[in-house]
Amino acid sequence: MNNRSKITITVVVVVTLFFIWIISGTQGKEVPFLSIEELVTGEYDQDRFRLGGNVQAGSIQIAEDDLLKVEFILKQGESIIKVHYYKTRPDLFADYCEVIVEGEYRNNEFYADNLMTKCASRYEGDLRDKNSYNLDEI
Amino acid sequence: MIHSMATLGTVSQSLALGFTVLSIILIAQFLRSGDTRLYVSGRRSAVIAAGLVILSTLVLLRELIQSNFNLEYVAHYTSIATPLLYKISALWAGQAGSLLFWVFIVAGYILIVIYQNRTVNKVMMPWVIMILMAIQFFFLYMTNFITNPFSPVEAGIIISDGNGLNPLLQNVTMAIHPPTLYLGYVGFAIPFTFAMAALITGDTSATWIKLIRRWTLFTWLALGIGILLGAWWAYQELGWGGYWAWDPVENASLMPWLTATAFIHSIIIQEKRDMLRVWNMILIIITFTLSIFGTFLTRSGIMSSVHSFTASSLGPLFLGFVFLILAGSFLLLYKRLPMLRTKNRIESFVSRESGFLFNNVIFIVMCFAVFWGTMFPVLTEAVRGTKITVGAPFFNQVNIPIGLSLLFLTGIGPVLAWRRTSKQVLIKQFSLPVLVSLVALGVFILRGLQGYVMISFVLAVFVTTTIVLEFARGIAARHRRFNESVVLAFWQMLRKNRHRYGGYIVHFGIVLMFVGFTGKAFNREIETAIRTGDKFHLSGYEFELQEIETEERPNHFAWIAHLKVVKLGVGPVTHLFPEKRIYFHRNPDQRKHQPHSELDIHTTLKQDIYSVFSGYDTKTKSASFKIMINPLVSWVWIGSYIFVLGTLIALWPNRRKK
Amino acid sequence: MELLLIFLIFISSVIFVAQPLFQPAVLDTSKTKAELAALESEKLSLYHQIKQVEMERDLSLLSEEDYQSARQRLKLEASQVIGRINIMKVKR
């Protein structure tokens, strides 16, 4: 066998191995991104999920004895779900805020261990939103 | 009342679009008829178009600085109180402005390219200008018709103050991170354009590579710095204690950087041995496409990410543009395939060429891994109907062995000889590095390291040794030939072979970064809620909350925690002062209050002690903290400086001979 | 004011772009000069490459026979370029 085909074969083998490695790498790390409705009504094998929605106004309850412990209602359209979170919260976490939570679903409640905020309301707000701007209607 | 120049901005933006089209038409006519007057005229039209783009950007900048809230964009991203620097950076803070800023950079690059090639490359240049104009046309079309930064506020509303820039973004790093990233993204348009022009004109030699090598290096550096600044900002500001989260937008900037890294390696082979012509074309096409795709990912909102802007109508347009580029350039490449055949082949497994080949293959594999994980939600939604995400654990698991193979190649590739490496040379080059690595391996095993961590450290030692040896050999060779002193020989060697030794320095920077990345394996963290006087422990350190001070500053209110850090059994180490701030605290509307955690880090070469004051309850006086011990993080930043230094050495222009 | 400015920008741009079209078609005189400059830079680049292969041989990254053949090839190319430069200089 000449050098050229040896090299070609090695490249193909290396690429194939890495390819399999990458494709199989997602196993056990897959987290379905569901809507609240899908989560509550569906049947799923695993117990880790990702949810998106907005924080229902006035629903944030921080535990008296532990500042890190929080419960809130996540709202997406008409569906709601209670979320527990026991970790440092991002600064932008607040009422109405758009959040993505990742965690486990048990007994119709969601236990998140990861919370990401995308609080766009203030900085990508609607121009007619009085809360964001100083407006004078003509 | 300041006079608004917004009309000038709008008009010059539209005129720019007109002259862009005119330029394309004139140059196309020149290419058909050969009448050089048409070309001169078309080139002038391109210059005007670029100038008008720059003018309209300057007008937008002026409106931002003057706080003309009649423009929707200005009202969105600035307020009267916004400091000047962030009024300027608002230019690229939002969607419409950042797209205009994109074209602004394209326009600047076009002017430079036209100037550099005003008398040379007569055959390629018409095509180059035409393709660049087509790219400019696409972005100008969007800023003119889809997201116009000059569009006025709805009739019937007067805004007396805008809503200002997010305090998170009010940070010098964050002000310069996007433009550096853009310099990189946009810059790949130039090598891409020259590659296409080379294909069209049939000049498939290495000429185009000589023309774009420095451009590519500069662009690659800018993108690299942009990525690193983003990482540094995330680490210093965001308070989750890391610098890389495998967020879709971060990945979008990493992918073109990876393929560009492959490209700057493989063009060396084409220059030296006239091989891999087709491969280089493919690499630059992919790199440019990925940089457009990166802009698309950021702008389209198809990915949920901290970076993404609200969903917009730009998505399909961008995707269409990406497909157009891919289809067009690959069709062209296919048609020119017969011209791209070369007679040179890789002759041996153990050669510089094959080192480069494997380096390229692995860079592409890594890019694919990042792509696969980033697009996984989109792909699974299309195939299975459910969006399935894979987070950082996937990327870390998959990329560690790939990254380590690259590190390994960094050590062996550069010291292999061209064509074939004889056994004697191989032994001569590698006996010392292998010996040193074996000793290091023994030491690491004795210290209880294992798995990837051990491999990574051993490889770092191996690569560093080969680099040091290369410098030593180079100096020795000069010393023998020219009888120069060691210092002079070192200086002359750097000066006369800037690419080679600049490259080694970059490699060394990368080694240090890998050392820093590896430190992540030892991260420790604790989250706790305590009161003044309480203590807590984390991996051999004791933290005591001594007091919480309050301070009112011009645009925010701050609680400042005093944390005393003591190393158990050794003594006090430092005091940390993380802050909890409330911006817009004077506003009676609670909803306008914006909390922000200003963290404090105690940095040493060994580790960072990272503290976040995450919450404070004024009623119960309970304060919550997140403390992390992050070993070796500073090596990532030290490596970054060395990476930049090495690239600058390689980029430094040759002194002109009189 | 602003409209006047816009008008002026537009008119001067159009004149600037259209002007070459009304010139008589002339032969480009800068051509030979540009070619000469290109050849000069090619010559320098070839010199540089010769230095590079010397360096690589010194670092034993290039075998002696490869070094000799690469050097021969580069020298030949350089002499051709120098020849072309001389011809052009004589013509001028």
Side-chain angles (χ1 to χ4, degrees), chain A residues 3-4 7 10 21 29 31 33 67 87-88 91-92 122-125 127-128 131-134 136, chain B residues 72 76-77 154 158 160 163 167 347 349 387 389 397-398 527 580 589 591-592 594-595 597 614 622:
Chain A
N3 272 322
R4 191 169 148 70
I7 291 171
T10 318
W21 166 250
K29 307 215 158 37
V31 182
F33 197 147
L67 263 183
K87 264 180 141 179
T88 301
D91 285 329
L92 296 176
R122 206 190 125 75
Y123 294 101
E124 294 271 340
L127 268 183
R128 284 190 167 274
N131 285 312
S132 292
Y133 299 87
N134 293 326
D136 304 312
Chain B
E72 202 178 320
H76 260 308
Y77 296 102
E154 293 175 58
I158 289 175
S160 42
N163 65 1
E347 291 168 20
F349 225 103
K387 221 187 236 181
T389 57
Q397 176 195 308
V398 164
E527 292 181 47
K580 184 87 211 169
D589 180 1
R591 277 188 61 199
K592 287 207 81 173
Q594 163 93 56
S597 305
S614 46
S622 163

Side-chain angles (χ1 to χ4, degrees), chain B residues 216-380:
Chain B
T216 314
L217 214 50
F218 167 77
T219 302
W220 177 79
L221 175 66
L223 187 59
I225 294 177
I227 294 171
L228 289 168
L229 282 175
W232 194 78
W233 171 78
Y235 188 69
Q236 300 283 330
E237 284 290 313
L238 290 184
W240 53 272
Y243 39 81
W244 193 260
W246 298 106
D247 174 280
V249 172
E250 290 171 357
N251 295 346
S253 59
L254 183 64
M255 286 189 278
W257 189 82
L258 289 173
T259 54
T261 316
F263 180 71
I264 57 178
H265 284 97
S266 75
I267 54 176
I268 300 174
I269 314 188
Q270 186 170 350
E271 265 189 284
K272 296 258 176 178
R273 300 267 290 121
D274 194 20
M275 288 162 51
L276 303 184
R277 284 178 178 180
V278 179
W279 178 240
N280 284 329
M281 287 287 170
I282 294 176
L283 278 182
I284 194 61
I285 292 169
I286 293 178
T287 304
F288 179 61
T289 314
L290 281 174
S291 63
I292 298 283
F293 185 69
T295 318
F296 158 70
L297 272 191
T298 332
R299 299 297 156 208
S300 66
I302 64 159
M303 296 286 174
S304 35
S305 141
V306 280
H307 298 72
S308 62
F309 293 74
T310 20
S312 72
S313 50
L314 294 177
L317 259 178
F318 257 110
L319 222 48
F321 188 52
V322 167
F323 279 118
L324 194 71
I325 295 169
L326 275 181
S329 43
F330 274 110
L331 191 70
L332 187 60
L333 184 61
Y334 177 73
K335 284 195 143 184
R336 291 292 192 225
L337 268 185
M339 301 175 70
L340 291 166
R341 299 233 164 82
T342 57
K343 54 181 186 306
N344 290 339
R345 297 273 179 268
I346 295 185
E347 291 168 20
S348 158
F349 225 103
V350 205
S351 64
R352 178 73 68 83
E353 293 91 320
S354 97
F356 274 123
L357 179 72
F358 282 100
N359 139 307
N360 265 253
V361 165
I362 295 180
F363 267 113
I364 297 304
V365 163
M366 194 174 208
C367 180
F368 173 75
V370 177
F371 183 82
W372 184 252
T374 312
M375 297 309 284
F376 202 67
V378 180
L379 297 172
T380 46

Side-chain angles (χ1 to χ4, degrees), chain B residues 439-622:
Chain B
V439 172
L441 177 69
V443 173
F444 293 146
I445 289 178
L446 285 181
R447 300 206 58 178
L449 299 181
Q450 48 182 321
Y452 285 143
V453 172
M454 182 192 72
I455 298 174
S456 174
F457 284 152
V458 168
L459 284 176
V461 170
F462 174 70
V463 180
T464 309
T465 323
T466 57
I467 294 172
V468 170
L469 268 183
E470 274 299 284
F471 273 90
R473 274 199 204 101
I475 292 170
R478 284 201 76 87
H479 180 70
R480 272 200 311 275
R481 275 175 68 93
F482 307 108
N483 200 20
E484 290 166 346
S485 72
V486 172
V487 178
L488 182 68
F490 175 75
W491 175 248
Q492 289 289 5
M493 177 183 83
L494 262 190
R495 214 169 62 88
K496 302 221 157 152
N497 301 275
R498 280 174 293 91
H499 285 124
R500 168 187 289 267
Y501 291 99
Y504 285 150
I505 293 172
V506 171
H507 284 176
F508 181 57
I510 302 285
V511 168
L512 294 186
M513 284 190 211
F514 265 86
V515 170
F517 299 157
T518 311
K520 192 178 177 297
F522 304 104
N523 280 8
R524 294 288 173 269
E525 74 168 271
I526 185 171
E527 292 181 47
T528 184
I530 55 172
R531 288 185 180 78
T532 311
D534 289 351
K535 292 174 180 171
F536 59 97
H537 296 91
L538 176 65
S539 60
Y541 288 90
E542 181 188 81
F543 298 84
E544 182 188 352
L545 177 60
Q546 294 185 311
E547 65 168 312
I548 292 175
E549 200 188 335
T550 56
E551 193 175 318
E552 193 170 357
R553 305 199 184 114
N555 61 348
H556 65 267
F557 179 87
W559 287 284
I560 307 156
H562 291 223
L563 281 173
K564 187 180 177 192
V565 186
V566 176
K567 184 161 183 163
L568 293 171
V570 178
V573 179
T574 184
H575 280 86
L576 289 169
F577 305 100
E579 297 179 9
K580 184 87 211 169
R581 293 178 180 175
I582 305 286
Y583 283 83
F584 310 108
H585 62 288
R586 288 209 190 82
N587 198 305
D589 180 1
Q590 280 275 341
R591 277 188 61 199
K592 287 207 81 173
H593 291 185
Q594 163 93 56
H596 174 75
S597 305
E598 188 71 17
L599 45 94
D600 196 11
I601 308 174
H602 175 69
T603 300
T604 59
L605 289 180
K606 195 174 154 229
Q607 65 192 15
D608 283 7
I609 302 176
Y610 188 98
S611 65
V612 188
F613 188 173
S614 46
Y616 186 52
D617 187 338
T618 45
K619 280 196 285 293
T620 61
K621 303 280 180 211
S622 163

Side-chain angles (χ1 to χ4, degrees), chain B residues 83-221:
Chain B
L84 178 66
L85 175 66
Y86 304 114
K87 282 185 179 173
I88 295 172
S89 73
L91 180 62
W92 48 80
Q95 179 169 279
S98 66
L99 281 175
L100 183 63
F101 187 66
W102 226 98
V103 210
F104 169 75
I105 299 176
V106 174
Y109 282 170
I110 287 172
L111 290 180
I112 295 172
V113 166
I114 290 179
Y115 178 77
Q116 279 182 337
N117 296 282
R118 63 199 179 285
T119 54
V120 289
N121 303 317
K122 293 238 151 100
V123 184
M124 254 189 227
M125 274 312 280
W127 291 102
V128 167
I129 297 176
M130 207 156 86
I131 298 167
L132 284 173
M133 282 292 120
I135 295 169
Q136 177 167 289
F137 172 81
F138 171 72
F139 284 96
L140 272 179
Y141 176 81
M142 285 195 296
T143 59
N144 268 287
F145 300 114
I146 316 252
T147 54
N148 189 338
F150 294 101
S151 61
V153 167
E154 293 175 58
I157 296 181
I158 289 175
I159 297 175
S160 42
D161 195 3
N163 65 1
L165 191 70
N166 190 330
L168 264 182
L169 300 180
Q170 300 204 12
N171 170 291
V172 179
T173 316
M174 216 40 207
I176 54 176
H177 159 66
T180 15
L181 212 52
Y182 278 19
L183 279 177
Y185 271 154
V186 181
F188 288 123
I190 308 294
F192 169 78
T193 308
F194 273 94
M196 291 303 107
L199 278 183
I200 295 169
T201 56
D203 179 0
T204 49
S205 63
T207 321
W208 71 276
I209 281 174
K210 290 211 176 78
L211 294 171
I212 53 92
R213 190 179 47 202
R214 294 188 62 221
W215 265 109
T216 314
L217 214 50
F218 167 77
T219 302
W220 177 79
L221 175 66

